[in-house]
Amino acid sequence: MKSFRKIVLFACLAMAASYGFSRPKVKTPDWFNNVNGVYPESKYIAESASGATEIEAKNAALKLLAGYLVSSVQAIPKSVDVSSEVMLCGVDFSESYFVKKEKKYYCVAYLDREKIWACYKPEIKKACDDFMAVYKMGERNMARNSFIAAKYFSIAVSKADVFVARILIGKLFSPEAEKMYEMEQRKANDLNATIKTVFANSVLSIDAKNDVNSIISEKVKEAFVSCGYTVSGPKSAQFTLSIVIKDNYEKSGNGCFVSPEVTVSVLNRKGDSIYSYSARGEKTQGDTKQKALARALVPVAEKIAAELKDHFMNSVETK
């Protein structure tokens, strides 16, 4: 019985050895020596790379692919990440190939132009719609309220950047992108000239009441200048930045208290308010009303610096 077991074991080992020695070698993939032969440029965008592991090889190929896309798209805004824009539609990878002599894995990362175009085209439409929604708000206000129009055209800039970038990226996949939304592309490309004109007709002057040492005026001015507006003297201004400060003064013994309320309004030439913002200060004590108010307005000014720009840019006016 033992001898029979030995014979069976020997036979099994012989079979295993035979299988090991006769196992065919892994065939070198065709793309290893000629990437474009397997992934022709007319149909694919492909890059090959190597790494110590399969994951490293894939990441390296992906990095090269992203680099190619960035270098291929000219005049794209820095705010738009080309690689992430494209990756949202997905990248395919070849099977990895291990080269024993080099102890490295090789891999190809590729994009099928037709496949990614079908995926990417709706992204272009969405970017166009987002841009035009804000642009139309600017157009709607341009004739009757240049101050509000300026705000919307300013907001449209970043949305125009995304829209134009997606058109440029789309051209890598299909010539169809060139002719998509031609009118909207012209508006996006002419936006800077439009903004220059509308801001020139939206100059502001400051009219402040009860503002100790111009504490509030300076922060209000900074906020609107950062939005792109010019703050000048009343003679050259089409709009007024009205700053009204109520101190809510209270006498108390040898001192006094103030509880300031600050209202910032933008008025047109008729005196109508087209934008308004308000902020309250804490109840503050001082030897005199002037000193109490000066102390109370410091934190209010900081609050204005932190939130006025966002409040204005996120408000919706239709007047």
Short mmCIF file of all heavy atoms in Angstrom, two decimals, residues 176-242:
data_model
loop_
_atom_site.label_atom_id
_atom_site.label_comp_id
_atom_site.label_asym_id
_atom_site.label_seq_id
_atom_site.Cartn_x
_atom_site.Cartn_y
_atom_site.Cartn_z
N GLU A 176 -17.05 68.43 -33.65
CA GLU A 176 -18.39 68.96 -33.45
C GLU A 176 -18.42 70.07 -32.40
O GLU A 176 -19.24 70.98 -32.45
CB GLU A 176 -19.33 67.81 -33.02
CG GLU A 176 -20.78 68.21 -32.85
CD GLU A 176 -21.64 67.06 -32.34
OE1 GLU A 176 -21.24 65.89 -32.52
OE2 GLU A 176 -22.69 67.33 -31.76
N ALA A 177 -17.48 69.98 -31.45
CA ALA A 177 -17.44 70.96 -30.36
C ALA A 177 -17.19 72.37 -30.88
O ALA A 177 -17.65 73.35 -30.29
CB ALA A 177 -16.36 70.58 -29.35
N GLU A 178 -16.47 72.49 -31.97
CA GLU A 178 -16.12 73.80 -32.54
C GLU A 178 -17.36 74.63 -32.87
O GLU A 178 -17.39 75.85 -32.68
CB GLU A 178 -15.30 73.60 -33.82
CG GLU A 178 -14.79 74.87 -34.47
CD GLU A 178 -13.54 75.40 -33.81
OE1 GLU A 178 -12.61 74.61 -33.53
OE2 GLU A 178 -13.51 76.61 -33.55
N LYS A 179 -18.40 73.96 -33.34
CA LYS A 179 -19.59 74.66 -33.82
C LYS A 179 -20.72 74.71 -32.79
O LYS A 179 -21.78 75.26 -33.06
CB LYS A 179 -20.10 74.00 -35.10
CG LYS A 179 -19.10 74.07 -36.24
CD LYS A 179 -19.66 73.42 -37.50
CE LYS A 179 -18.66 73.49 -38.65
NZ LYS A 179 -19.18 72.85 -39.89
N MET A 180 -20.48 74.14 -31.62
CA MET A 180 -21.52 74.14 -30.59
C MET A 180 -21.64 75.51 -29.94
O MET A 180 -20.63 76.13 -29.57
CB MET A 180 -21.22 73.09 -29.51
CG MET A 180 -21.37 71.66 -29.97
SD MET A 180 -21.04 70.50 -28.62
CE MET A 180 -22.47 70.75 -27.58
N TYR A 181 -22.84 76.02 -29.81
CA TYR A 181 -23.13 77.25 -29.07
C TYR A 181 -22.23 78.42 -29.53
O TYR A 181 -21.59 79.09 -28.71
CB TYR A 181 -22.95 77.01 -27.57
CG TYR A 181 -23.66 75.78 -27.06
CD1 TYR A 181 -22.95 74.66 -26.64
CD2 TYR A 181 -25.05 75.71 -27.04
CE1 TYR A 181 -23.61 73.52 -26.19
CE2 TYR A 181 -25.71 74.57 -26.59
CZ TYR A 181 -24.98 73.48 -26.16
OH TYR A 181 -25.63 72.36 -25.72
N GLU A 182 -22.19 78.65 -30.84
CA GLU A 182 -21.31 79.68 -31.38
C GLU A 182 -21.67 81.08 -30.85
O GLU A 182 -20.78 81.88 -30.53
CB GLU A 182 -21.36 79.67 -32.91
CG GLU A 182 -20.68 78.43 -33.51
CD GLU A 182 -20.70 78.44 -35.02
OE1 GLU A 182 -21.62 79.04 -35.61
OE2 GLU A 182 -19.78 77.85 -35.62
N MET A 183 -22.95 81.39 -30.77
CA MET A 183 -23.37 82.69 -30.27
C MET A 183 -22.94 82.87 -28.80
O MET A 183 -22.42 83.92 -28.41
CB MET A 183 -24.89 82.85 -30.37
CG MET A 183 -25.41 84.20 -29.86
SD MET A 183 -27.20 84.25 -29.70
CE MET A 183 -27.43 83.21 -28.24
N GLU A 184 -23.15 81.83 -28.01
CA GLU A 184 -22.79 81.89 -26.59
C GLU A 184 -21.27 82.01 -26.42
O GLU A 184 -20.79 82.70 -25.51
CB GLU A 184 -23.29 80.65 -25.86
CG GLU A 184 -24.81 80.57 -25.71
CD GLU A 184 -25.51 80.03 -26.95
OE1 GLU A 184 -24.83 79.77 -27.97
OE2 GLU A 184 -26.73 79.84 -26.90
N GLN A 185 -20.52 81.36 -27.30
CA GLN A 185 -19.06 81.48 -27.24
C GLN A 185 -18.62 82.91 -27.52
O GLN A 185 -17.69 83.42 -26.87
CB GLN A 185 -18.41 80.53 -28.26
CG GLN A 185 -18.46 79.06 -27.87
CD GLN A 185 -17.62 78.21 -28.81
OE1 GLN A 185 -16.40 78.35 -28.87
NE2 GLN A 185 -18.28 77.31 -29.54
N ARG A 186 -19.27 83.56 -28.45
CA ARG A 186 -18.94 84.96 -28.75
C ARG A 186 -19.20 85.86 -27.54
O ARG A 186 -18.41 86.75 -27.22
CB ARG A 186 -19.73 85.46 -29.96
CG ARG A 186 -19.21 84.93 -31.30
CD ARG A 186 -19.80 85.72 -32.46
NE ARG A 186 -21.24 85.56 -32.56
CZ ARG A 186 -21.84 84.60 -33.24
NH1 ARG A 186 -21.10 83.70 -33.88
NH2 ARG A 186 -23.16 84.53 -33.29
N LYS A 187 -20.33 85.62 -26.87
CA LYS A 187 -20.65 86.41 -25.68
C LYS A 187 -19.61 86.20 -24.59
O LYS A 187 -19.19 87.15 -23.91
CB LYS A 187 -22.05 86.03 -25.17
CG LYS A 187 -23.20 86.48 -26.07
CD LYS A 187 -24.52 86.10 -25.46
CE LYS A 187 -25.69 86.47 -26.36
NZ LYS A 187 -25.83 87.93 -26.52
N ALA A 188 -19.18 84.95 -24.42
CA ALA A 188 -18.16 84.64 -23.41
C ALA A 188 -16.83 85.30 -23.75
O ALA A 188 -16.15 85.86 -22.88
CB ALA A 188 -18.00 83.13 -23.29
N ASN A 189 -16.47 85.26 -25.02
CA ASN A 189 -15.19 85.84 -25.45
C ASN A 189 -15.21 87.37 -25.38
O ASN A 189 -14.16 88.00 -25.21
CB ASN A 189 -14.86 85.39 -26.87
CG ASN A 189 -14.53 83.91 -26.94
OD1 ASN A 189 -14.00 83.34 -25.99
ND2 ASN A 189 -14.86 83.27 -28.06
N ASP A 190 -16.39 87.99 -25.52
CA ASP A 190 -16.51 89.45 -25.48
C ASP A 190 -16.85 89.97 -24.09
O ASP A 190 -17.06 91.18 -23.90
CB ASP A 190 -17.61 89.92 -26.46
CG ASP A 190 -17.24 89.64 -27.91
OD1 ASP A 190 -16.04 89.45 -28.19
OD2 ASP A 190 -18.16 89.61 -28.75
N LEU A 191 -16.89 89.08 -23.11
CA LEU A 191 -17.37 89.45 -21.78
C LEU A 191 -16.52 90.52 -21.11
O LEU A 191 -17.05 91.44 -20.47
CB LEU A 191 -17.45 88.20 -20.89
CG LEU A 191 -18.13 88.37 -19.53
CD1 LEU A 191 -19.55 88.91 -19.70
CD2 LEU A 191 -18.17 87.04 -18.79
N ASN A 192 -15.21 90.43 -21.26
CA ASN A 192 -14.34 91.43 -20.62
C ASN A 192 -14.61 92.84 -21.14
O ASN A 192 -14.60 93.81 -20.37
CB ASN A 192 -12.87 91.06 -20.84
CG ASN A 192 -12.44 89.89 -19.98
OD1 ASN A 192 -13.02 89.64 -18.93
ND2 ASN A 192 -11.43 89.16 -20.42
N ALA A 193 -14.86 92.96 -22.44
CA ALA A 193 -15.17 94.27 -23.02
C ALA A 193 -16.51 94.77 -22.51
O ALA A 193 -16.68 95.96 -22.21
CB ALA A 193 -15.19 94.18 -24.54
N THR A 194 -17.47 93.85 -22.37
CA THR A 194 -18.79 94.20 -21.85
C THR A 194 -18.69 94.70 -20.41
O THR A 194 -19.29 95.71 -20.04
CB THR A 194 -19.74 92.99 -21.91
OG1 THR A 194 -19.82 92.52 -23.26
CG2 THR A 194 -21.13 93.35 -21.41
N ILE A 195 -17.90 93.99 -19.61
CA ILE A 195 -17.71 94.36 -18.21
C ILE A 195 -17.06 95.73 -18.08
O ILE A 195 -17.45 96.54 -17.24
CB ILE A 195 -16.88 93.28 -17.48
CG1 ILE A 195 -17.72 92.02 -17.27
CG2 ILE A 195 -16.36 93.80 -16.15
CD1 ILE A 195 -16.96 90.87 -16.68
N LYS A 196 -16.08 95.99 -18.91
CA LYS A 196 -15.38 97.28 -18.86
C LYS A 196 -16.35 98.43 -19.09
O LYS A 196 -16.32 99.45 -18.40
CB LYS A 196 -14.27 97.29 -19.92
CG LYS A 196 -13.38 98.53 -19.85
CD LYS A 196 -12.25 98.44 -20.86
CE LYS A 196 -11.36 99.67 -20.78
NZ LYS A 196 -10.25 99.61 -21.77
N THR A 197 -17.25 98.24 -20.05
CA THR A 197 -18.24 99.28 -20.37
C THR A 197 -19.23 99.48 -19.24
O THR A 197 -19.51 100.61 -18.82
CB THR A 197 -19.00 98.92 -21.66
OG1 THR A 197 -18.07 98.82 -22.74
CG2 THR A 197 -20.05 99.97 -21.99
N VAL A 198 -19.75 98.39 -18.72
CA VAL A 198 -20.82 98.50 -17.72
C VAL A 198 -20.30 98.99 -16.38
O VAL A 198 -20.98 99.73 -15.66
CB VAL A 198 -21.56 97.14 -17.59
CG1 VAL A 198 -20.78 96.13 -16.79
CG2 VAL A 198 -22.95 97.33 -17.00
N PHE A 199 -19.07 98.64 -16.03
CA PHE A 199 -18.49 99.15 -14.79
C PHE A 199 -18.18 100.65 -14.89
O PHE A 199 -18.24 101.38 -13.90
CB PHE A 199 -17.23 98.38 -14.40
CG PHE A 199 -17.49 97.19 -13.51
CD1 PHE A 199 -17.23 95.91 -13.96
CD2 PHE A 199 -18.01 97.35 -12.24
CE1 PHE A 199 -17.47 94.81 -13.16
CE2 PHE A 199 -18.25 96.26 -11.42
CZ PHE A 199 -17.98 94.98 -11.89
N ALA A 200 -17.85 101.10 -16.09
CA ALA A 200 -17.59 102.53 -16.29
C ALA A 200 -18.84 103.35 -16.05
O ALA A 200 -18.76 104.54 -15.71
CB ALA A 200 -17.07 102.76 -17.71
N ASN A 201 -20.00 102.73 -16.22
CA ASN A 201 -21.28 103.40 -15.98
C ASN A 201 -21.85 103.09 -14.60
O ASN A 201 -23.04 103.31 -14.35
CB ASN A 201 -22.29 102.98 -17.05
CG ASN A 201 -21.89 103.46 -18.43
OD1 ASN A 201 -21.40 104.57 -18.58
ND2 ASN A 201 -22.08 102.61 -19.42
N SER A 202 -21.01 102.57 -13.71
CA SER A 202 -21.47 102.16 -12.37
C SER A 202 -20.56 102.68 -11.27
O SER A 202 -20.32 101.99 -10.27
CB SER A 202 -21.58 100.63 -12.30
OG SER A 202 -22.36 100.12 -13.35
N VAL A 203 -20.03 103.87 -11.44
CA VAL A 203 -19.11 104.45 -10.46
C VAL A 203 -19.90 104.88 -9.21
O VAL A 203 -21.01 105.41 -9.32
CB VAL A 203 -18.36 105.65 -11.05
CG1 VAL A 203 -17.45 106.30 -10.00
CG2 VAL A 203 -17.56 105.22 -12.27
N LEU A 204 -19.32 104.64 -8.05
CA LEU A 204 -19.97 104.92 -6.77
C LEU A 204 -19.29 106.08 -6.04
O LEU A 204 -18.08 106.28 -6.15
CB LEU A 204 -19.90 103.69 -5.87
CG LEU A 204 -20.60 102.42 -6.37
CD1 LEU A 204 -20.01 101.21 -5.67
CD2 LEU A 204 -22.08 102.50 -6.10
N SER A 205 -20.09 106.81 -5.28
CA SER A 205 -19.53 107.79 -4.34
C SER A 205 -20.11 107.48 -2.96
O SER A 205 -21.21 106.92 -2.85
CB SER A 205 -19.90 109.21 -4.75
OG SER A 205 -21.31 109.41 -4.65
N ILE A 206 -19.37 107.81 -1.91
CA ILE A 206 -19.79 107.49 -0.55
C ILE A 206 -20.41 108.71 0.14
O ILE A 206 -19.85 109.81 0.11
CB ILE A 206 -18.61 106.96 0.29
CG1 ILE A 206 -18.17 105.59 -0.23
CG2 ILE A 206 -19.00 106.85 1.76
CD1 ILE A 206 -17.01 104.98 0.54
N ASP A 207 -21.56 108.48 0.75
CA ASP A 207 -22.22 109.50 1.57
C ASP A 207 -22.46 108.86 2.94
O ASP A 207 -23.37 108.03 3.09
CB ASP A 207 -23.53 109.93 0.92
CG ASP A 207 -24.28 110.97 1.78
OD1 ASP A 207 -23.62 111.60 2.63
OD2 ASP A 207 -25.50 111.10 1.61
N ALA A 208 -21.61 109.19 3.91
CA ALA A 208 -21.69 108.56 5.22
C ALA A 208 -22.11 109.54 6.29
O ALA A 208 -21.68 110.70 6.30
CB ALA A 208 -20.33 107.96 5.59
N LYS A 209 -22.97 109.07 7.16
CA LYS A 209 -23.45 109.91 8.28
C LYS A 209 -23.11 109.22 9.60
O LYS A 209 -23.37 108.04 9.78
CB LYS A 209 -24.96 110.12 8.17
CG LYS A 209 -25.39 110.94 6.95
CD LYS A 209 -26.89 111.09 6.90
CE LYS A 209 -27.33 112.00 5.75
NZ LYS A 209 -26.95 111.46 4.44
N ASN A 210 -22.50 110.01 10.52
CA ASN A 210 -22.20 109.54 11.86
C ASN A 210 -21.10 108.48 11.89
O ASN A 210 -21.03 107.66 12.80
CB ASN A 210 -23.48 108.99 12.52
CG ASN A 210 -23.50 109.19 14.03
OD1 ASN A 210 -22.76 110.03 14.56
ND2 ASN A 210 -24.35 108.46 14.72
N ASP A 211 -20.24 108.45 10.85
CA ASP A 211 -19.17 107.45 10.76
C ASP A 211 -17.89 108.00 11.38
O ASP A 211 -17.14 108.75 10.75
CB ASP A 211 -18.94 107.08 9.29
CG ASP A 211 -17.96 105.93 9.13
OD1 ASP A 211 -17.62 105.29 10.15
OD2 ASP A 211 -17.54 105.67 7.99
N VAL A 212 -17.63 107.63 12.63
CA VAL A 212 -16.47 108.13 13.36
C VAL A 212 -15.18 107.63 12.70
O VAL A 212 -14.99 106.42 12.51
CB VAL A 212 -16.51 107.67 14.84
CG1 VAL A 212 -15.29 108.21 15.59
CG2 VAL A 212 -17.80 108.12 15.49
N ASN A 213 -14.30 108.59 12.35
CA ASN A 213 -13.00 108.27 11.75
C ASN A 213 -13.10 107.42 10.47
O ASN A 213 -12.15 106.71 10.10
CB ASN A 213 -12.10 107.54 12.76
CG ASN A 213 -11.84 108.37 14.00
OD1 ASN A 213 -11.70 109.60 13.93
ND2 ASN A 213 -11.81 107.71 15.16
N SER A 214 -14.27 107.46 9.82
CA SER A 214 -14.50 106.70 8.56
C SER A 214 -14.25 105.20 8.74
O SER A 214 -13.85 104.51 7.79
CB SER A 214 -13.62 107.24 7.44
OG SER A 214 -13.90 108.60 7.17
N ILE A 215 -14.49 104.71 9.95
CA ILE A 215 -14.24 103.29 10.24
C ILE A 215 -15.06 102.38 9.32
O ILE A 215 -14.55 101.42 8.75
CB ILE A 215 -14.57 102.97 11.72
CG1 ILE A 215 -13.62 103.72 12.64
CG2 ILE A 215 -14.48 101.48 11.98
CD1 ILE A 215 -13.99 103.60 14.12
N ILE A 216 -16.34 102.69 9.16
CA ILE A 216 -17.23 101.87 8.35
C ILE A 216 -17.01 102.13 6.86
O ILE A 216 -16.98 101.20 6.04
CB ILE A 216 -18.70 102.12 8.73
CG1 ILE A 216 -18.94 101.80 10.21
CG2 ILE A 216 -19.63 101.29 7.85
CD1 ILE A 216 -18.67 100.37 10.61
N SER A 217 -16.84 103.39 6.50
CA SER A 217 -16.69 103.77 5.09
C SER A 217 -15.54 103.02 4.41
O SER A 217 -15.67 102.58 3.26
CB SER A 217 -16.46 105.27 4.97
OG SER A 217 -17.57 105.99 5.45
N GLU A 218 -14.43 102.90 5.12
CA GLU A 218 -13.26 102.24 4.53
C GLU A 218 -13.55 100.78 4.19
O GLU A 218 -13.16 100.29 3.13
CB GLU A 218 -12.06 102.34 5.47
CG GLU A 218 -11.44 103.72 5.55
CD GLU A 218 -10.97 104.22 4.18
OE1 GLU A 218 -10.32 103.44 3.46
OE2 GLU A 218 -11.26 105.38 3.84
N LYS A 219 -14.23 100.08 5.08
CA LYS A 219 -14.54 98.66 4.85
C LYS A 219 -15.58 98.49 3.76
O LYS A 219 -15.51 97.55 2.96
CB LYS A 219 -15.01 98.01 6.15
CG LYS A 219 -13.97 97.99 7.26
CD LYS A 219 -12.69 97.28 6.80
CE LYS A 219 -11.63 97.30 7.90
NZ LYS A 219 -10.36 96.66 7.44
N VAL A 220 -16.55 99.39 3.72
CA VAL A 220 -17.57 99.34 2.67
C VAL A 220 -16.93 99.59 1.31
O VAL A 220 -17.20 98.88 0.33
CB VAL A 220 -18.69 100.37 2.94
CG1 VAL A 220 -19.63 100.46 1.73
CG2 VAL A 220 -19.47 99.98 4.19
N LYS A 221 -16.04 100.58 1.26
CA LYS A 221 -15.34 100.87 0.02
C LYS A 221 -14.52 99.67 -0.45
O LYS A 221 -14.56 99.29 -1.64
CB LYS A 221 -14.43 102.08 0.22
CG LYS A 221 -13.62 102.44 -1.03
CD LYS A 221 -12.73 103.66 -0.76
CE LYS A 221 -11.89 103.98 -1.99
NZ LYS A 221 -11.02 105.17 -1.77
N GLU A 222 -13.79 99.06 0.47
CA GLU A 222 -12.96 97.89 0.12
C GLU A 222 -13.81 96.77 -0.45
O GLU A 222 -13.40 96.10 -1.42
CB GLU A 222 -12.22 97.38 1.36
CG GLU A 222 -11.08 98.27 1.80
CD GLU A 222 -10.46 97.81 3.11
OE1 GLU A 222 -10.76 96.66 3.53
OE2 GLU A 222 -9.68 98.57 3.71
N ALA A 223 -14.99 96.55 0.13
CA ALA A 223 -15.86 95.46 -0.34
C ALA A 223 -16.30 95.68 -1.78
O ALA A 223 -16.25 94.76 -2.61
CB ALA A 223 -17.08 95.34 0.58
N PHE A 224 -16.72 96.89 -2.11
CA PHE A 224 -17.22 97.15 -3.47
C PHE A 224 -16.09 97.26 -4.49
O PHE A 224 -16.25 96.85 -5.64
CB PHE A 224 -18.11 98.39 -3.48
CG PHE A 224 -19.50 98.10 -2.97
CD1 PHE A 224 -19.83 98.34 -1.65
CD2 PHE A 224 -20.46 97.56 -3.81
CE1 PHE A 224 -21.10 98.04 -1.16
CE2 PHE A 224 -21.73 97.27 -3.35
CZ PHE A 224 -22.05 97.51 -2.02
N VAL A 225 -14.95 97.76 -4.06
CA VAL A 225 -13.79 97.78 -4.96
C VAL A 225 -13.36 96.36 -5.31
O VAL A 225 -13.00 96.06 -6.45
CB VAL A 225 -12.63 98.56 -4.33
CG1 VAL A 225 -11.33 98.35 -5.12
CG2 VAL A 225 -12.96 100.06 -4.28
N SER A 226 -13.42 95.45 -4.33
CA SER A 226 -13.05 94.05 -4.58
C SER A 226 -14.03 93.37 -5.53
O SER A 226 -13.71 92.36 -6.15
CB SER A 226 -12.98 93.27 -3.27
OG SER A 226 -14.27 93.11 -2.69
N CYS A 227 -15.24 93.94 -5.66
CA CYS A 227 -16.23 93.41 -6.61
C CYS A 227 -16.00 93.97 -8.02
O CYS A 227 -16.66 93.54 -8.97
CB CYS A 227 -17.65 93.75 -6.15
SG CYS A 227 -18.19 92.89 -4.67
N GLY A 228 -15.10 94.95 -8.13
CA GLY A 228 -14.80 95.51 -9.44
C GLY A 228 -15.26 96.93 -9.65
O GLY A 228 -14.98 97.54 -10.70
N TYR A 229 -15.95 97.51 -8.68
CA TYR A 229 -16.49 98.86 -8.83
C TYR A 229 -15.43 99.92 -8.51
O TYR A 229 -14.47 99.67 -7.78
CB TYR A 229 -17.69 99.06 -7.90
CG TYR A 229 -18.88 98.21 -8.26
CD1 TYR A 229 -19.06 96.97 -7.67
CD2 TYR A 229 -19.82 98.65 -9.19
CE1 TYR A 229 -20.14 96.16 -8.00
CE2 TYR A 229 -20.91 97.86 -9.52
CZ TYR A 229 -21.07 96.62 -8.93
OH TYR A 229 -22.14 95.82 -9.27
N THR A 230 -15.65 101.11 -9.05
CA THR A 230 -14.81 102.26 -8.74
C THR A 230 -15.56 103.16 -7.76
O THR A 230 -16.74 103.44 -7.96
CB THR A 230 -14.49 103.07 -10.02
OG1 THR A 230 -13.75 102.23 -10.92
CG2 THR A 230 -13.67 104.31 -9.69
N VAL A 231 -14.89 103.56 -6.69
CA VAL A 231 -15.48 104.48 -5.72
C VAL A 231 -14.76 105.81 -5.87
O VAL A 231 -13.55 105.91 -5.68
CB VAL A 231 -15.34 103.94 -4.28
CG1 VAL A 231 -15.94 104.94 -3.29
CG2 VAL A 231 -16.04 102.59 -4.15
N SER A 232 -15.50 106.84 -6.27
CA SER A 232 -14.92 108.13 -6.58
C SER A 232 -15.72 109.25 -5.94
O SER A 232 -16.58 109.01 -5.09
CB SER A 232 -14.88 108.30 -8.11
OG SER A 232 -14.24 109.49 -8.47
N GLY A 233 -15.45 110.47 -6.39
CA GLY A 233 -16.20 111.62 -5.89
C GLY A 233 -17.59 111.68 -6.50
O GLY A 233 -17.86 111.04 -7.52
N PRO A 234 -18.49 112.45 -5.89
CA PRO A 234 -19.89 112.49 -6.34
C PRO A 234 -20.07 113.04 -7.77
O PRO A 234 -21.02 112.67 -8.45
CB PRO A 234 -20.57 113.40 -5.32
CG PRO A 234 -19.46 114.18 -4.68
CD PRO A 234 -18.28 113.28 -4.70
N LYS A 235 -19.16 113.88 -8.24
CA LYS A 235 -19.34 114.46 -9.57
C LYS A 235 -19.25 113.42 -10.69
O LYS A 235 -19.94 113.51 -11.70
CB LYS A 235 -18.30 115.56 -9.80
CG LYS A 235 -18.54 116.82 -8.97
CD LYS A 235 -17.53 117.90 -9.32
CE LYS A 235 -17.80 119.17 -8.52
NZ LYS A 235 -16.83 120.25 -8.84
N SER A 236 -18.38 112.42 -10.51
CA SER A 236 -18.18 111.41 -11.56
C SER A 236 -18.96 110.13 -11.32
O SER A 236 -18.84 109.17 -12.06
CB SER A 236 -16.69 111.08 -11.69
OG SER A 236 -16.19 110.58 -10.45
N ALA A 237 -19.76 110.10 -10.24
CA ALA A 237 -20.48 108.88 -9.87
C ALA A 237 -21.91 108.86 -10.40
O ALA A 237 -22.57 109.89 -10.48
CB ALA A 237 -20.49 108.73 -8.36
N GLN A 238 -22.34 107.65 -10.77
CA GLN A 238 -23.73 107.46 -11.20
C GLN A 238 -24.59 106.89 -10.06
O GLN A 238 -25.81 106.92 -10.14
CB GLN A 238 -23.80 106.50 -12.39
CG GLN A 238 -23.14 107.00 -13.66
CD GLN A 238 -21.67 106.62 -13.73
OE1 GLN A 238 -21.16 105.90 -12.89
NE2 GLN A 238 -20.97 107.13 -14.74
N PHE A 239 -23.92 106.38 -9.01
CA PHE A 239 -24.64 105.78 -7.89
C PHE A 239 -24.01 106.23 -6.57
O PHE A 239 -22.84 106.61 -6.54
CB PHE A 239 -24.60 104.25 -7.97
CG PHE A 239 -25.28 103.68 -9.20
CD1 PHE A 239 -24.57 103.52 -10.38
CD2 PHE A 239 -26.62 103.35 -9.18
CE1 PHE A 239 -25.18 103.02 -11.51
CE2 PHE A 239 -27.25 102.85 -10.30
CZ PHE A 239 -26.52 102.70 -11.48
N THR A 240 -24.80 106.18 -5.51
CA THR A 240 -24.33 106.62 -4.20
C THR A 240 -24.33 105.45 -3.22
O THR A 240 -25.31 104.70 -3.13
CB THR A 240 -25.24 107.73 -3.64
OG1 THR A 240 -25.25 108.84 -4.53
CG2 THR A 240 -24.75 108.19 -2.27
N LEU A 241 -23.22 105.32 -2.51
CA LEU A 241 -23.14 104.36 -1.40
C LEU A 241 -23.53 105.12 -0.13
O LEU A 241 -22.73 105.86 0.44
CB LEU A 241 -21.71 103.82 -1.26
CG LEU A 241 -21.38 102.50 -1.93
CD1 LEU A 241 -19.89 102.22 -1.80
CD2 LEU A 241 -22.18 101.37 -1.31
N SER A 242 -24.75 104.93 0.28
CA SER A 242 -25.25 105.64 1.46
C SER A 242 -24.99 104.79 2.71
O SER A 242 -25.41 103.63 2.79
CB SER A 242 -26.75 105.90 1.31
OG SER A 242 -27.30 106.40 2.50
#
